[in-house]
Amino acid sequence: DVKVTQSSRYLVKRTGEKVFLECVQDMDHENMFWYRQDPGLGLRLIYFSYDVKMKEKGDIPEGYSVSREKKERFSLILESASTNQTSMYLCASRVDSVNYGYTFGSGTRLTVV
Amino acid sequence: QKEVEQNSGPLSVPEGAIASLNCTYSDRGSQSFFWYRQYSGKSPELIMFIYSNGDKEDGRFTAQLNKASQYVSLLIRDSQPSDSATYLCAVNRGAAGNKLTFGGGTRVLVKP
C-alpha cells in the first residue's frame, strides 16, 4: 500500500512563527499536493508539485510556500503563521495518470494562537 | 457555478437501505471521477473511481457516470451504520499535475 506520512498529527504554534509541515510518500509518485480543509469550505488546494523542484500555485497560495527538493518529500511552509491559518492540512500524492486518485496522509491539525 | 457540486446533506438512511449520492460537474472535458469517504477527524480514503459512461460496481458500492448530463453518482447498497461519513466527489480535468477538484461533500447518516 502507498503510504503518505505527515510528520505531525497536531500542532500548536504562535502567531508570527514560521511553521514547517512535512509530507513523505514511499511510492515514487510524481505529483504531490497540499490542501487545507475547513468546515463549510471543503478541500482547498494550496500548492502542488509535479516534479522535483517544480511547484504550482493552487487556489489559495497566499501566506504559504512549498519546497520539493526530493521526489518523496513535499514541505509546506507558513512564513508567518496567523490565526486564520488554523485548519486541517492534508497532503496527498498521486501517480501521473488521469485514472488514479490521490492517496492522502493522515492530516495535521494546526492551531495558531 | 461551482466546478463540482454536491448536496451537503445530511442524507439520513435506514440501515439496510440504499443510499444515493449525486454529484454534478461543470467542465465537459473532465476525464475521470472519484468518490472518497471521510470519517469525522480523519483524512479522505478512496472508495471508487470511474471514467467511462455507465455503471461500475465494487462490493456494496456502485458508481454511475453520465458524461452527457455531467453527473456522477454513488449508490451504497445495504447501508450500515459504519457507512456514516462524509462522501466527497472529485473530478480530474486532466490539467497539469492531474489535480482533482473536490465537491463540498455529502454527509450520510445511517440509522440502525
Side-chain angles (χ1 to χ4, degrees):
Chain A
D1 272 355
V2 177
K3 280 201 82 172
V4 179
T5 303
Q6 293 185 232
S7 54
S8 304
R9 188 75 179 93
Y10 298 95
L11 271 180
V12 180
K13 296 292 182 181
R14 295 193 180 279
T15 302
E17 276 194 77
K18 191 169 186 176
V19 181
F20 293 85
L21 302 183
E22 305 287 344
C23 176
V24 177
Q25 51 98 359
D26 66 358
M27 283 299 290
D28 204 36
H29 285 176
E30 295 86 356
N31 301 316
M32 297 187 75
F33 308 83
W34 276 106
Y35 286 81
R36 63 178 285 179
Q37 188 174 33
D38 302 286
L41 296 177
L43 280 160
R44 293 182 290 168
L45 180 64
I46 305 170
Y47 267 96
F48 68 100
S49 169
Y50 51 87
D51 202 352
V52 176
K53 296 191 187 293
M54 305 301 290
K55 59 186 179 184
E56 293 276 347
K57 292 180 180 179
D59 301 317
I60 52 163
E62 297 78 19
Y64 302 94
S65 62
V66 289
S67 172
R68 194 168 182 198
E69 296 296 319
K70 293 185 177 181
K71 193 173 186 180
E72 67 270 20
R73 185 181 296 270
F74 191 36
S75 303
L76 179 69
I77 303 153
L78 285 67
E79 298 291 343
S80 176
S82 63
T83 54
N84 63 12
Q85 292 178 310
T86 292
S87 186
M88 169 70 92
Y89 288 88
L90 290 162
C91 175
S93 74
R94 186 184 191 192
V95 169
D96 193 26
S97 166
V98 298
N99 294 332
Y100 286 83
Y102 291 168
T103 299
F104 283 93
S106 56
T108 296
R109 184 163 294 281
L110 173 68
T111 302
V112 182
V113 297
Chain B
Q1 181 189 8
K2 289 184 181 178
E3 294 180 36
V4 181
E5 295 209 55
Q6 298 179 252
N7 188 318
S8 61
L11 175 66
S12 186
V13 179
E15 184 174 357
I18 295 175
S20 178
L21 292 75
N22 293 317
C23 171
T24 59
Y25 59 94
S26 60
D27 186 349
R28 277 197 178 277
S30 298
Q31 299 181 9
S32 51
F33 308 85
F34 303 84
W35 284 99
Y36 284 83
R37 177 177 61 201
Q38 186 175 24
Y39 293 113
S40 181
K42 302 293 187 182
S43 61
E45 58 177 322
L46 180 66
I47 55 172
M48 290 286 291
F49 77 93
I50 188 168
Y51 50 86
S52 299
N53 275 328
D55 294 0
K56 180 181 178 182
E57 188 174 314
D58 184 359
R60 294 187 296 111
F61 298 102
T62 299
Q64 299 173 317
L65 175 61
N66 184 323
K67 288 187 177 181
S69 300
Q70 294 176 243
Y71 80 79
V72 56
S73 61
L74 179 71
L75 301 178
I76 308 173
R77 290 184 300 282
D78 188 23
S79 295
Q80 301 297 308
S82 59
D83 295 325
S84 297
T86 296
Y87 290 80
L88 301 169
C89 171
V91 173
N92 185 340
R93 296 162 59 192
N98 281 307
K99 59 184 185 292
L100 300 181
T101 302
F102 287 85
T106 297
R107 187 166 161 235
V108 173
L109 294 174
V110 181
K111 298 190 173 181

